[in-house]
Amino acid sequence: MAEKIQLEVVTPGGAVVSDQVDIVTAPGFGGEFGVLANHAPFLSTIKIGTLTYKKGGQETVLMVSGGFCEVSSNTITFLVEAAEKGGEIDVDRALRAKKRAEKRLAQTQQKQENINQTRAEAAMQRALARLKAAGRA
Amino acid sequence: MASLKDVKTQISGVKKTSQITKAMNMVAAAKLRGAQQKMENFRPYTEKFTAAMSSLAAGMNVADFPLMQAREAKTVEIVVITSDRGLCGSFNANIMKRVQQLTRQLEGEGKQVSYVCVGKKANNALKRGGKVRKAYTDIMGTFQMFNARQIVQDLAANFLANGADEVRLVYSRFISVASQKPTDEILLPVQPLAGETAQGQKGGDYIYEPSTAEIMEVLLPLFLNVMVYHAMLEVGASEHAARMSAMDNATTACKDIIANLTKLYNKARQSGITSELMDIVGGAEALKG
């Protein structure tokens, strides 16, 4: 695997990753997908989840929240609202967020409030993705 | 002429004021650096986003997306973004002037105007008119993308529910430390992006997942987020720049006042000494007898 692909992860707060990597795996709209060097131009929305990239045998896991990704001319660009490296994630905070989301989900299901339910679900997914990224890193 | 003591207290009062304005100037300078950094960090995101949007929007039918559909604008909502705090010169007044101008123009065309205020100053200035539909205050200091998303969700929902046929954004653009310009933009319906025809051919080669229309469905609200967040960043930076120069002016004015007062003080002291001398001389004369 001599050929590499340029990975860029950009959030509103600035670039998180800008590196030459071997492979990128990301949570796309239709499920996880992997991208190697010289991939065809591609555009997909990104769901909340974990993004994994390998560089020289070393694997890095990132938590990403919603956005989209674009592959063109051997560069893969992720435009996401938030991205955090596994090692930088505050596990306690994520656990607390998970508990909060669980509680809220239970509450909203009783009252059947749709708006709050979607929000709680998104919070839940973010918390889970953070924990997953932190656990594997 | 004012007495010595009066002038002295006045001088020390003005001195204290100048200390405050000087400190505020320095704080604003530091905050401006932070705000500019934020803008700088956000720029790559905006650029890539706009590029992707325009390649995507090429060859797409506007009528398919409710957020892009233009209706006859009978009701217009103006989103006013100002700072939460004052003491920044004519910064907020300039934005409000722009709002008033726009309102007059729109109402002259027979349109109904309502406001959404972001920042306390906008709310304070507009709430008496009773046309404020929603106000977001106390978020300008530490705003996040999250705040922009909240605002956009509400705006889009209102637009789709025919609450407003058009949504405009009034904010202050940060041009340089010395100049900030009030601007207005049309937020909704989403305007077709410039240059989309030029990139049209490129867009055709992409593999889209899901379909282009569905991606667009997701990206349009995100695009609004980007616009509003960007405007908020601009206002944030502008506010600090405006405060910086306002406080700089105030400090200079304080220095002038102090110089004048010192002159006055010296004059008063001099005349005091003179009259004392006269007394002594008079006394000595009398003793000589």
Side-chain angles (χ1 to χ4, degrees):
Chain A
M1 275 220 296
E3 278 200 83
K4 288 186 193 279
I5 183 164
Q6 176 73 26
L7 168 72
E8 306 268 355
V9 179
V10 188
T11 69
V16 177
V17 183
S18 176
D19 207 351
Q20 291 277 327
V21 300
D22 297 317
I23 181 170
V24 183
T25 319
F29 173 83
E32 291 255 318
F33 65 90
V35 174
L36 291 162
N38 299 321
H39 193 284
F42 175 69
L43 205 145
S44 169
T45 52
I46 298 291
K47 291 193 292 196
I48 299 168
T50 50
L51 181 160
T52 317
Y53 66 88
K54 259 189 203 157
K55 189 193 178 186
Q58 207 193 341
E59 200 180 66
T60 314
V61 186
L62 264 83
M63 172 268 171
V64 288
S65 71
F68 68 100
C69 109
E70 187 192 18
V71 185
S72 69
S73 51
N74 213 20
T75 305
I76 176 162
T77 313
F78 284 89
L79 285 163
V80 287
E81 271 182 34
E84 285 163 31
K85 282 193 184 164
E88 293 163 6
I89 287 168
D90 187 340
V91 181
D92 285 343
R93 198 181 143 221
L95 277 172
R96 278 204 304 277
K98 191 184 151 207
K99 277 214 186 101
R100 224 173 23 237
E102 273 168 356
K103 216 161 118 195
R104 217 165 281 161
L105 272 178
Q107 278 173 358
T108 48
Q109 265 158 11
Q110 286 170 354
K111 290 185 202 156
Q112 292 178 327
E113 292 172 69
N114 284 330
I115 305 165
N116 284 337
Q117 190 171 344
T118 27
R119 260 173 65 183
E121 268 164 17
M124 186 75 183
Q125 279 171 0
R126 276 198 299 274
L128 287 177
R130 279 207 172 87
L131 288 175
K132 200 172 156 201
R136 274 206 291 183
Chain B
M1 192 177 274
S3 80
L4 269 184
K5 194 166 167 282
D6 285 346
V7 181
K8 212 168 185 181
T9 25
Q10 226 177 337
I11 289 178
S12 72
V14 176
K15 244 184 204 154
K16 271 176 199 149
T17 310
S18 88
Q19 266 167 3
I20 294 169
T21 55
K22 211 181 209 168
M24 280 185 78
N25 172 297
M26 284 192 282
V27 170
K31 283 198 175 160
L32 173 64
R33 223 168 298 141
Q36 269 181 307
Q37 188 64 47
K38 245 182 174 176
M39 271 171 71
E40 207 90 326
N41 287 343
F42 189 52
R43 194 163 298 145
Y45 189 84
T46 330
E47 272 168 17
K48 295 208 165 116
F49 201 104
T50 325
M53 270 292 269
S54 46
S55 70
L56 195 63
M60 208 156 283
N61 193 357
V62 171
D64 292 343
F65 304 101
L67 283 174
M68 289 182 92
Q69 266 167 25
R71 304 191 281 259
E72 197 199 335
K74 279 188 221 112
T75 47
V76 181
E77 187 151 77
I78 303 180
V79 184
V80 189
I81 308 182
T82 62
S83 70
D84 272 330
R85 283 190 280 173
L87 287 180
C88 42
S90 56
F91 173 69
N92 289 315
N94 284 343
I95 297 177
M96 294 323 298
K97 219 188 277 168
R98 187 53 174 257
V99 171
Q100 250 111 46
Q101 214 179 1
L102 195 64
T103 307
R104 261 200 302 277
Q105 185 204 328
L106 290 170
E107 283 181 340
E109 291 165 16
K111 291 166 185 169
Q112 233 180 351
V113 178
S114 65
Y115 302 106
V116 169
C117 300
V118 182
K120 213 188 260 165
K121 288 286 155 183
N123 192 34
N124 287 353
L126 292 170
K127 71 179 165 199
R128 214 171 299 156
K131 284 189 237 160
V132 177
R133 191 173 64 82
K134 211 150 195 183
Y136 302 86
T137 51
D138 289 317
I139 58 168
M140 290 309 285
T142 54
F143 57 82
Q144 300 274 320
M145 192 76 175
F146 159 75
N147 297 114
R149 200 185 324 144
Q150 257 186 335
I151 296 167
V152 165
Q153 271 170 358
D154 171 57
L155 289 176
N158 188 42
F159 176 79
L160 293 177
N162 291 327
D165 299 320
E166 195 177 286
V167 179
R168 302 241 194 167
L169 195 62
V170 179
Y171 65 101
S172 179
R173 199 177 271 279
F174 179 81
I175 293 166
S176 73
V177 176
S179 124
Q180 303 88 35
K181 209 173 138 218
T183 20
D184 61 285
E185 276 170 13
I186 295 176
L187 189 67
L188 283 166
V190 175
Q191 302 296 298
L193 290 154
E196 63 186 50
T197 38
Q199 297 203 344
Q201 295 89 346
K202 209 182 108 197
D205 300 335
Y206 277 83
I207 305 166
Y208 291 103
E209 186 183 299
S211 67
T212 43
E214 278 170 284
I215 295 185
M216 205 62 180
E217 211 70 54
V218 177
L219 288 201
L220 275 175
L222 277 179
F223 180 67
L224 294 175
N225 280 357
V226 168
M227 271 182 87
V228 172
Y229 187 61
H230 177 248
M232 283 166 82
L233 283 177
E234 293 263 357
V235 169
S238 301
E239 177 199 347
H240 294 309
R243 180 164 300 125
M244 217 175 101
S245 55
M247 287 303 125
D248 195 43
N249 286 343
T251 314
T252 324
C254 279
K255 265 187 205 149
D256 287 349
I257 294 172
I258 290 172
N260 283 339
L261 285 176
T262 315
K263 227 179 255 169
L264 199 67
Y265 176 78
N266 286 342
K267 246 186 221 162
R269 192 178 54 118
Q270 194 62 56
S271 70
I273 292 169
T274 312
S275 65
E276 252 170 65
L277 268 179
M278 295 285 271
D279 276 357
I280 295 167
V281 172
E285 286 292 318
L287 276 183
K288 257 190 221 167

